[in-house]
Amino acid sequence: MTDLSTATTPTHVGHSQLANAIRFLSLDAVEAANSGHPGLPMGMADIATVLWGKFLKFDPARPDWPDRDRFVLSAGHGSMLLYAVNWLTGYKRVGLDELKRFRQLHSLTPGHPEHDVLAGVETTTGPLGQGIATAVGMALAERILNARFGDELVDHRTWVIASDGDLMEGVSHEACSIAGHLGLKRLIVLYDDNGISIDGPTSLSFSDDTANRFRSYGWNVATVDGHDPEEIENALASAMNADKPTLIACRTIIGYGSPNRAGTSEAHSNAFGAAELAATREKLDWPHGPFVIPDQIVDAWRSFGVRGRDASAAWSKQHEQHRQRAAFDQAIAGDVRGLDALIQQYKTKVASEKPKIATRQASGQVLELLSPSMPEMIGGSADLTPSNNTRVKNSGAIEAGNFNGRYVHWGVREHGMAAAMNGMALHGGVIPYGGTFLSFADYCRPAIRLAALMKQRSIFVMTHDSIGLGEDGPTHQPVEHIASLRAMPNLLVLRPCDAVETAEAWQLALTRTDGPSLLALTRQAVPHARTDAGAENLTARGAYKLAAATADERVTLLATGSEIGIALDAKRELENAGIGTSVVSMPCWSLFEKQSEAYRRSLLPANTLKVAIEAGVRMGWDRWIGPDGIFIGMEGFGESAPYAQLYERFGITTAAVTGAVRARL
Amino acid sequence: MTDLSTATTPTHVGHSQLANAIRFLSLDAVEAANSGHPGLPMGMADIATVLWGKFLKFDPARPDWPDRDRFVLSAGHGSMLLYAVNWLTGYKRVGLDELKRFRQLHSLTPGHPEHDVLAGVETTTGPLGQGIATAVGMALAERILNARFGDELVDHRTWVIASDGDLMEGVSHEACSIAGHLGLKRLIVLYDDNGISIDGPTSLSFSDDTANRFRSYGWNVATVDGHDPEEIENALASAMNADKPTLIACRTIIGYGSPNRAGTSEAHSNAFGAAELAATREKLDWPHGPFVIPDQIVDAWRSFGVRGRDASAAWSKQHEQHRQRAAFDQAIAGDVRGLDALIQQYKTKVASEKPKIATRQASGQVLELLSPSMPEMIGGSADLTPSNNTRVKNSGAIEAGNFNGRYVHWGVREHGMAAAMNGMALHGGVIPYGGTFLSFADYCRPAIRLAALMKQRSIFVMTHDSIGLGEDGPTHQPVEHIASLRAMPNLLVLRPCDAVETAEAWQLALTRTDGPSLLALTRQAVPHARTDAGAENLTARGAYKLAAATADERVTLLATGSEIGIALDAKRELENAGIGTSVVSMPCWSLFEKQSEAYRRSLLPANTLKVAIEAGVRMGWDRWIGPDGIFIGMEGFGESAPYAQLYERFGITTAAVTGAVRARL
């Protein structure tokens, strides 16, 4: 192996020693935890050493430097590589103690890298394919911000280490295809081509010619010996100048250095045990004890961080004097100034005009209003733009070589879109929203979950939210989706009933900075419900009394979205028959759960008959209607027919509500 | 265009007229419905005419002929192509009236093709990517059965029409990559390369070199003018003899024949309107009125079916005399003879031995026992074989050129695996089961949903089903997954608590013929709970009294899976303190919902305090515990730590249960 580190490191520490520091920190940590994945850190240590040593733009003292390079360990099971490098390069928070507490409760070094646990972890990874797809969004955000603010403020790269598994996952196809289409030349993927997966050699299940696959996406592709630092350095240098995204296939040996496990699936996971650990120490000529890294090796690693410190300081000077500084800072801060006034303007207008429109149409109107003054908002759709109403008039499309647009045509790539949106949100400076049909939320679910886990402001615009979709039939009609999404922690599921609630839902989604939101919107027109449109965002309460009982309240109707119209009609009929009835609109359960018990009781008094009406499954409604409540909704999949007939067919009608109430009272 | 149909059709009807019959039936039906997608049927009519006219092996009088070719319209929005051909070739059930009722309530011609609605529809399609991935499973099942029964009984092809959208979807990558790896030469995909998607030209979002992409998967690739029947015929003939799966990229014009819409995204969906319809009739020289197809054209189409009738009769003769006839018929019937005795044998054994093992381990033991006598069972895992315990000892792997194995190494392709399993189930003759971690059920969800919608016996083995997974952390720990899957109609979600329940879960999954099952299994060992292991499958009741109160029942503990151990410990402690407590095991909610009210009340008496214990979210539990009940479980995402510490951390412990009960009583 060539020693290329002598020039950059003061103490003439060789490349191998630098790389072996990663290897043994990883091995020792896995051994201490008796759990984890040593194979990848050992195999990719040489790559990481060259990357951090010579290329990556980072400042350990300033992990939130906006113009830093982003590094994504898509193969998140190799987390110890990241933690080892994090400590070696001198990030403040992680100490050796934390490495020793790898995979222990409340440590900073969890089993897979978690964005909100440790600085320097740009995204949470582990579920394969997510990292590389998220990185596409980061690389896209960089180009968008570069187009807006120029090279002086935005000029960085996104680096990814991806495994065979990442590239087998379907989402890698979606993400890498759009990355090629958009010519995201600042994206460089280091593919750990080690030929091993958990079941055994990848030849058990995998024969892709990955280089040609990526060429077919319009990528630049190179192949290197992943243990030859000179080859690696040359390939990375070439990739820095490519005019396309680059895949570097790194032929590596998993568990490199282990006499008996290297090159086998045995090396992938689990502790090696004392004997093999000792043998590996001997083989790699590493006489140091567990977690012992000689000072001069640490110093050499720390010197890489110094390079970043200088770059970061130089950037700050440019930033300080930049004419767009204020706008840039606002974008990075993610503020949504001016939002409230615009929302109020819209609410007042529609509360007076009472339009009977689909909530997807109302959503489009809100976006038209907000978009001009909120340049951070970047829209998109997975090839359902005319249906999702996500594209604002006069907003240009983002395309290869022109990142001045505000709209991404994601193609039929729901999962890739959602994951890339997460990357955009993580990168900062942009607020991504993207549309598809609610039924296809299933396609994006792994990425939606990561947004929730990472507390990122990804905004999912999911239209055609029930059997109200009509003729397209059961494959396209969400039935269980709203329930299944409500079950996900930290996802705000919003199902507004009219234009006012739709505006409020957008207000919540945009102001929320600790997690994603999902708007479930109708295809069909719905009657306007909210005539009261004061400054308070009632949707923020999760549920509120939309219409009070005019007589003694005996019945409480609970509904969301398109079924609010049915509830209001039923209330009218019941009250005509002398049965005092209130209507509670429940656009967001999770927000309602957070209200005081007194408030919740005020909406759901103990002694009334509760009737829930929702064109979805019952799951979860029992919490609100109690054991004596009535649920009017779906019991199974939908059918293909005009939507009004489907509401009749499935008995989600005013007559069904009033009939059920009368039968009970 | 060359007229190649003269040789095969008695009345010298030209190819164009045959193809135009598809075009106008489609146009007229979409017009009548004022809804639908005419663009694909018009663009692919020439392909379909050559395929059905010259190649497809089918018998309209015998849609369940086991050795028929399978045709999958992956681009399901073009459903009218399938319905038109179905009627033209003379399938019995569909009449012209049904075409006129396209997309209407209870018609046989729903918006997207639905497997259980119309014979000749081999799989439900519509969510893009699913069809092509399902077809991979069909083509695989064909090879497996061919290896078992030989060419005389099993010798057919799987044909697919796929769109740009299908190929953009990630699942197409997973499925086509494994199809190439396995060398599924009987799979032929006709790619409708029309350059148009909903948002506009595909160039908005798509630059893949699809031919090279598929070559990189090891496919045979051809390109044809999709409107030149001679070119099409030659390409299909070549594909019939290929030794790899084949992709034929068909350059077509969407909405072919429409003067003003052809070649634009306008042609994709929606009715054309009277004026454009008239103009299209004139342009294509089609003087016939709506839904009028001249007799000689119908006769020509019907003659294609006659070809199939002869082939089907010849096959029947071979079948009648075949030495493996009985085994073949049993495989096709999907019977699971002998199952009950084996399950009972296992139950008796473990009820006496009371092993403290993980339910994934119990599942592996059950599979070891069943597999030898059930050759229809084909297992697999998405590269988690050692973790999922899905591979039976001595079962060979299925690989290219050798389909005698019983196990598929699917690679890290959860979604492709699940969709292909659906295709295997639809094909018949095999019973597919496949494993991954429960957390990655999210990756397969669109395919799981289709299995439920299509009522197919796909068996999903999902291990590592909670925070009990431990150190891998929140990305790998299911929290909301069980709730979200319970919300899905017609999916049996089974979370067994020990080896007995695991065996019963397998018994249910294998005997079920009207839908999929999902087994949620622990990573960690759990105490044995069921000492009563009689012939009755108690899991089939959904819930049952596992341990009755020894004193007057004041508390009812409800739990599933790994939390049954906590419930039993809590019961002991509470009863030691004089508080009569019963434990109800609830391995399958949906089965419990179907029990009589009397039975349900007997388990959940009105006057006891109900406490639910499950290491997942609360969603849905209120139905069982009522408004005064207590839920002990998860409120958010998990963490990375040894699992026992996580149970403490999240308060899912015996002490938490007894403490909450005492505080309440």
Side-chain angles (χ1 to χ4, degrees):
Chain A
M1 263 180 256
T2 311
D3 182 343
L4 87 170
S5 61
T6 44
T8 54
T9 58
T11 46
H12 304 286
V13 176
H15 166 90
S16 307
Q17 286 184 287
L18 295 168
N20 285 342
I22 297 175
R23 292 193 174 99
F24 285 96
L25 284 173
S26 302
L27 275 174
D28 292 339
V30 171
E31 203 66 17
N34 195 23
S35 166
H37 301 79
L40 183 138
M42 295 176 78
M44 290 297 280
D46 294 308
I47 306 280
T49 301
V50 177
L51 175 59
W52 265 269
K54 304 236 167 183
F55 293 92
L56 198 77
K57 183 163 87 167
F58 73 109
D59 179 1
R62 194 182 179 189
D64 61 349
W65 173 25
D67 200 32
R68 71 191 182 280
D69 282 359
R70 268 54 169 186
F71 171 77
V72 172
L73 183 67
S74 192
H77 53 271
S79 55
M80 266 313 303
L81 180 142
L82 195 47
Y83 303 148
V85 169
N86 195 307
W87 176 75
L88 286 166
T89 55
Y91 279 80
K92 273 187 197 146
R93 284 194 69 207
V94 73
L96 261 183
D97 282 354
E98 288 299 324
L99 299 192
K100 292 175 185 168
R101 299 212 310 122
F102 179 50
R103 293 184 154 234
Q104 303 310 301
L105 195 61
H106 304 316
S107 79
L108 298 177
T109 53
H112 291 82
E114 292 181 42
H115 168 65
D116 52 340
V117 168
L118 185 62
V121 175
E122 300 284 0
T123 180
T124 297
T125 50
L128 290 170
Q130 295 299 321
I132 190 169
T134 303
V136 168
M138 293 176 179
L140 175 57
E142 192 269 351
R143 286 292 88 187
I144 292 170
L145 291 173
N146 174 273
R148 189 173 164 203
F149 295 110
D151 286 348
E152 286 190 0
L153 293 182
V154 185
D155 181 24
H156 55 268
R157 288 180 175 73
T158 302
W159 305 83
V160 180
I161 287 182
S163 62
D164 288 299
D166 287 301
L167 301 191
M168 288 193 218
E169 288 285 0
V171 70
S172 75
H173 167 59
E174 300 182 17
C176 296
S177 171
I178 191 78
H181 175 75
L182 293 174
L184 298 178
K185 63 182 180 180
R186 295 308 187 88
L187 175 65
I188 303 172
V189 175
L190 306 161
Y191 162 36
D192 181 16
D193 183 10
N194 62 28
I196 294 294
S197 69
I198 290 176
D199 276 10
T202 52
S203 59
L204 280 175
S205 61
F206 187 69
S207 322
D208 286 11
D209 177 345
T210 298
N212 271 334
R213 176 188 162 204
F214 275 76
R215 282 190 198 103
S216 82
Y217 297 150
W219 284 49
N220 174 44
V221 177
T223 301
V224 300
D225 174 346
H227 301 297
D228 181 333
E230 197 165 7
E231 266 194 43
I232 298 166
E233 181 175 358
N234 290 336
L236 268 54
S238 292
M240 297 273 283
N241 296 316
D243 58 353
K244 302 170 176 181
T246 295
L247 179 86
I248 303 177
C250 310
R251 289 188 319 269
T252 66
I253 296 166
I254 191 170
Y256 179 93
S258 159
N260 297 302
R261 299 200 176 199
T264 73
S265 57
E266 295 287 291
H268 172 76
S269 50
N270 299 326
F272 278 16
E276 185 64 13
L277 210 55
T280 307
R281 283 193 143 79
E282 190 167 331
K283 167 122 183 165
L284 291 180
D285 191 21
W286 186 262
H288 321 297
F291 296 106
V292 174
I293 312 288
D295 284 349
Q296 59 180 12
I297 296 180
V298 175
D299 289 346
W301 268 104
R302 298 273 150 107
S303 73
F304 303 152
V306 173
R307 189 188 69 225
R309 192 184 58 197
D310 298 344
S312 146
W315 181 88
S316 290
K317 271 195 191 156
Q318 289 172 18
H319 171 250
E320 212 163 305
Q321 298 154 4
H322 202 279
R323 61 186 170 77
Q324 286 176 285
R325 179 184 173 178
F328 179 81
D329 289 350
Q330 186 182 340
I332 295 297
D335 287 353
V336 288
R337 277 177 265 178
L339 173 68
D340 294 350
L342 291 168
I343 294 288
Q344 190 56 48
Q345 176 188 331
Y346 182 79
K347 281 168 67 175
T348 306
K349 177 171 176 286
V350 289
S352 120
E353 293 176 358
K354 304 180 184 56
K356 184 181 174 175
I357 56 176
T359 53
R360 65 173 167 141
Q361 198 180 339
S363 170
Q365 292 173 353
V366 171
L367 288 172
E368 286 290 347
L369 198 63
L370 301 183
S371 188
S373 61
M374 296 182 61
E376 288 77 25
M377 290 178 70
I378 303 292
S381 166
D383 197 44
L384 287 170
T385 297
S387 299
N388 298 146
N389 295 37
T390 33
R391 184 162 181 180
V392 173
K393 286 184 204 82
N394 304 321
S395 74
I398 288 165
E399 47 196 11
N402 178 8
F403 295 92
N404 282 302
R406 300 274 304 278
Y407 196 79
V408 186
H409 289 284
W410 290 105
V412 187
R413 302 185 183 99
E414 299 85 1
H415 197 177
M417 172 180 76
M421 284 167 58
N422 292 348
M424 294 166 76
L426 285 159
H427 182 281
V430 293
I431 303 175
Y433 69 91
T436 185
F437 286 167
L438 180 59
S439 181
F440 306 145
D442 281 354
Y443 278 80
C444 333
R445 206 171 158 97
I448 297 174
R449 185 174 207 256
L450 275 185
L453 184 58
M454 295 190 288
K455 309 187 179 76
Q456 291 304 303
R457 180 169 48 183
S458 299
I459 304 176
F460 304 103
V461 182
M462 303 283 189
T463 69
H464 299 59
D465 71 349
S466 74
I467 53 167
L469 164 115
E471 290 90 340
D472 273 346
T475 55
H476 286 51
Q477 290 163 357
V479 164
E480 74 280 23
H481 297 73
I482 291 173
S484 78
L485 291 160
R486 283 176 181 145
M488 191 181 286
N490 200 35
L491 172 67
L492 221 54
V493 179
L494 296 149
R495 190 169 189 244
C497 72
D498 68 0
V500 170
E501 279 193 6
T502 303
E504 292 181 341
W506 269 109
Q507 189 175 27
L508 288 167
L510 286 165
T511 49
R512 184 169 198 223
T513 55
D514 61 353
S517 302
L518 183 146
L519 279 68
L521 304 172
T522 68
R523 175 195 187 205
Q524 74 276 25
V526 290
H528 191 83
R530 267 277 288 285
T531 49
D532 153 32
E536 186 187 345
N537 184 325
L538 293 176
T539 302
R541 298 191 184 195
Y544 62 92
K545 193 165 285 187
L546 179 65
T550 53
D552 184 36
E553 181 172 343
R554 295 170 64 198
V555 175
T556 308
L557 303 178
L558 316 176
T560 72
S562 42
E563 285 67 68
I564 284 288
I566 294 170
L568 290 170
D569 285 349
K571 169 191 155 71
R572 243 184 317 273
E573 288 195 18
L574 290 169
E575 295 211 321
N576 284 344
I579 303 169
T581 303
S582 77
V583 173
V584 173
S585 180
M586 298 191 72
C588 184
W589 287 15
S590 59
L591 291 175
F592 184 52
E593 284 166 20
K594 289 180 187 155
Q595 303 301 309
S596 70
E597 198 182 335
Y599 179 71
R600 283 188 276 129
R601 280 209 186 150
S602 74
L603 297 188
L604 307 173
N607 54 349
T608 65
L609 171 63
K610 313 284 181 310
V611 184
I613 316 161
E614 186 170 71
V617 296
R618 182 186 189 113
M619 171 78 79
W621 275 105
D622 292 271
R623 176 155 189 185
W624 312 120
I625 62 177
D628 302 316
I630 294 170
F631 174 71
I632 305 278
M634 299 293 293
E635 289 184 2
F637 294 108
E639 291 184 31
S640 168
Y643 82 89
Q645 291 177 36
L646 291 175
Y647 272 86
E648 291 288 336
R649 154 79 180 86
F650 292 109
I652 306 172
T653 60
T654 303
V657 175
T658 57
V661 167
R662 282 178 172 142
R664 186 67 66 86
L665 290 183
Chain B
M1 264 179 258
T2 311
D3 182 342
L4 86 169
S5 61
T6 44
T8 54
T9 59
T11 46
H12 303 287
V13 175
H15 166 89
S16 307
Q17 285 185 287
L18 295 168
N20 285 341
I22 297 175
R23 292 192 173 101
F24 284 96
L25 284 173
S26 301
L27 275 173
D28 292 339
V30 171
E31 202 68 17
N34 195 25
S35 168
H37 301 79
L40 183 139
M42 296 176 77
M44 289 298 280
D46 293 309
I47 306 280
T49 301
V50 176
L51 175 58
W52 266 267
K54 303 235 166 185
F55 293 91
L56 198 77
K57 183 162 87 166
F58 74 109
D59 178 1
R62 194 181 177 189
D64 61 350
W65 174 25
D67 200 32
R68 70 193 182 278
D69 281 0
R70 268 52 169 188
F71 172 77
V72 172
L73 183 67
S74 192
H77 53 271
S79 54
M80 267 310 305
L81 180 142
L82 195 47
Y83 304 148
V85 169
N86 195 307
W87 177 74
L88 286 165
T89 54
Y91 279 80
K92 272 185 197 149
R93 283 195 69 207
V94 73
L96 262 184
D97 281 356
E98 287 299 324
L99 300 192
K100 292 175 184 169
R101 298 212 309 122
F102 179 50
R103 293 183 155 236
Q104 303 310 302
L105 194 61
H106 303 318
S107 78
L108 298 177
T109 53
H112 291 81
E114 292 180 42
H115 169 66
D116 53 339
V117 168
L118 186 61
V121 175
E122 300 284 2
T123 180
T124 297
T125 50
L128 290 171
Q130 294 299 321
I132 190 168
T134 303
V136 168
M138 294 177 179
L140 175 57
E142 193 269 349
R143 286 293 88 187
I144 292 170
L145 291 174
N146 174 274
R148 187 173 166 203
F149 296 109
D151 286 348
E152 285 190 0
L153 293 182
V154 184
D155 180 23
H156 55 268
R157 287 179 177 74
T158 302
W159 304 83
V160 180
I161 287 181
S163 62
D164 288 299
D166 286 302
L167 301 191
M168 288 191 219
E169 288 285 0
V171 69
S172 74
H173 167 59
E174 300 182 17
C176 296
S177 171
I178 191 78
H181 174 75
L182 293 174
L184 299 178
K185 63 183 180 179
R186 296 306 187 88
L187 174 66
I188 303 171
V189 174
L190 306 160
Y191 162 36
D192 181 17
D193 183 11
N194 63 29
I196 293 296
S197 69
I198 290 176
D199 276 11
T202 51
S203 59
L204 281 174
S205 61
F206 188 70
S207 322
D208 285 9
D209 178 344
T210 298
N212 271 334
R213 175 186 162 206
F214 275 77
R215 281 191 198 102
S216 82
Y217 297 150
W219 285 47
N220 174 44
V221 177
T223 301
V224 300
D225 174 347
H227 301 297
D228 181 329
E230 198 165 4
E231 268 194 41
I232 299 166
E233 182 174 355
N234 290 336
L236 268 55
S238 292
M240 297 272 283
N241 297 315
D243 58 353
K244 302 170 177 181
T246 296
L247 179 87
I248 303 176
C250 311
R251 292 190 316 272
T252 66
I253 297 166
I254 191 171
Y256 179 94
S258 159
N260 297 302
R261 300 200 175 198
T264 74
S265 58
E266 295 285 290
H268 172 76
S269 51
N270 299 326
F272 277 17
E276 186 64 13
L277 210 55
T280 306
R281 284 194 143 78
E282 193 168 327
K283 169 121 183 169
L284 290 180
D285 191 20
W286 187 264
H288 322 296
F291 296 105
V292 174
I293 311 291
D295 284 350
Q296 59 179 9
I297 296 180
V298 175
D299 290 346
W301 268 105
R302 299 273 151 107
S303 73
F304 303 153
V306 173
R307 189 187 69 225
R309 192 184 57 198
D310 298 345
S312 144
W315 181 89
S316 290
K317 270 195 190 152
Q318 290 173 19
H319 171 252
E320 213 163 306
Q321 298 155 3
H322 201 282
R323 62 185 170 80
Q324 286 177 285
R325 180 184 173 177
F328 179 81
D329 289 352
Q330 186 182 340
I332 294 298
D335 288 351
V336 287
R337 276 177 265 178
L339 173 66
D340 293 349
L342 291 169
I343 293 289
Q344 190 54 48
Q345 175 188 332
Y346 183 79
K347 281 168 65 176
T348 306
K349 177 171 177 286
V350 289
S352 120
E353 294 176 359
K354 304 182 184 56
K356 185 181 173 176
I357 55 176
T359 54
R360 63 173 168 142
Q361 197 181 340
S363 170
Q365 292 173 351
V366 170
L367 289 172
E368 286 290 346
L369 198 63
L370 300 183
S371 189
S373 61
M374 295 182 64
E376 290 76 25
M377 290 179 71
I378 303 291
S381 166
D383 197 42
L384 287 169
T385 297
S387 299
N388 297 146
N389 294 38
T390 33
R391 184 161 182 181
V392 173
K393 285 185 204 79
N394 303 322
S395 74
I398 288 165
E399 46 196 11
N402 179 7
F403 294 93
N404 281 303
R406 300 274 303 278
Y407 196 79
V408 186
H409 289 285
W410 291 105
V412 188
R413 302 184 183 101
E414 299 86 2
H415 197 177
M417 172 180 76
M421 284 167 58
N422 292 347
M424 294 166 77
L426 285 159
H427 182 281
V430 293
I431 302 175
Y433 68 91
T436 184
F437 286 169
L438 180 60
S439 181
F440 305 144
D442 281 356
Y443 277 82
C444 333
R445 205 170 159 97
I448 297 174
R449 185 175 207 255
L450 275 186
L453 183 58
M454 294 191 288
K455 308 186 178 76
Q456 291 303 303
R457 181 169 45 182
S458 300
I459 303 176
F460 304 104
V461 182
M462 304 283 190
T463 69
H464 297 59
D465 71 349
S466 74
I467 53 168
L469 164 115
E471 290 90 339
D472 273 346
T475 55
H476 287 51
Q477 289 162 357
V479 164
E480 74 279 23
H481 297 74
I482 291 172
S484 79
L485 291 161
R486 283 176 180 145
M488 190 182 286
N490 199 36
L491 172 67
L492 222 54
V493 179
L494 296 148
R495 189 167 189 246
C497 72
D498 68 2
V500 170
E501 280 193 6
T502 303
E504 292 181 340
W506 269 110
Q507 188 174 28
L508 288 168
L510 286 164
T511 49
R512 184 170 198 222
T513 55
D514 60 353
S517 302
L518 184 145
L519 279 66
L521 303 172
T522 68
R523 175 194 188 206
Q524 75 277 23
V526 291
H528 191 83
R530 267 276 288 286
T531 48
D532 153 32
E536 187 187 345
N537 184 325
L538 293 176
T539 302
R541 298 190 184 196
Y544 63 91
K545 193 166 287 189
L546 178 66
T550 53
D552 184 34
E553 180 171 346
R554 294 169 65 198
V555 175
T556 309
L557 302 179
L558 316 175
T560 73
S562 42
E563 285 67 69
I564 283 288
I566 294 171
L568 289 171
D569 285 348
K571 169 191 155 72
R572 245 184 315 271
E573 289 197 16
L574 290 169
E575 296 210 322
N576 284 343
I579 303 170
T581 302
S582 77
V583 174
V584 174
S585 179
M586 299 191 71
C588 184
W589 287 15
S590 59
L591 291 175
F592 185 53
E593 282 166 21
K594 288 179 188 155
Q595 303 301 309
S596 70
E597 199 182 332
Y599 178 72
R600 281 188 279 130
R601 282 212 184 145
S602 74
L603 297 188
L604 308 172
N607 54 347
T608 65
L609 171 63
K610 313 283 181 309
V611 184
I613 315 160
E614 187 171 70
V617 297
R618 181 187 189 110
M619 170 79 77
W621 275 107
D622 293 272
R623 177 158 188 183
W624 312 120
I625 62 176
D628 302 317
I630 293 170
F631 174 72
I632 305 278
M634 298 293 293
E635 287 184 1
F637 294 109
E639 290 184 32
S640 168
Y643 84 88
Q645 291 178 33
L646 292 175
Y647 272 86
E648 290 289 335
R649 154 78 181 87
F650 293 110
I652 306 172
T653 60
T654 303
V657 175
T658 55
V661 167
R662 282 178 173 142
R664 186 68 66 84
L665 289 183

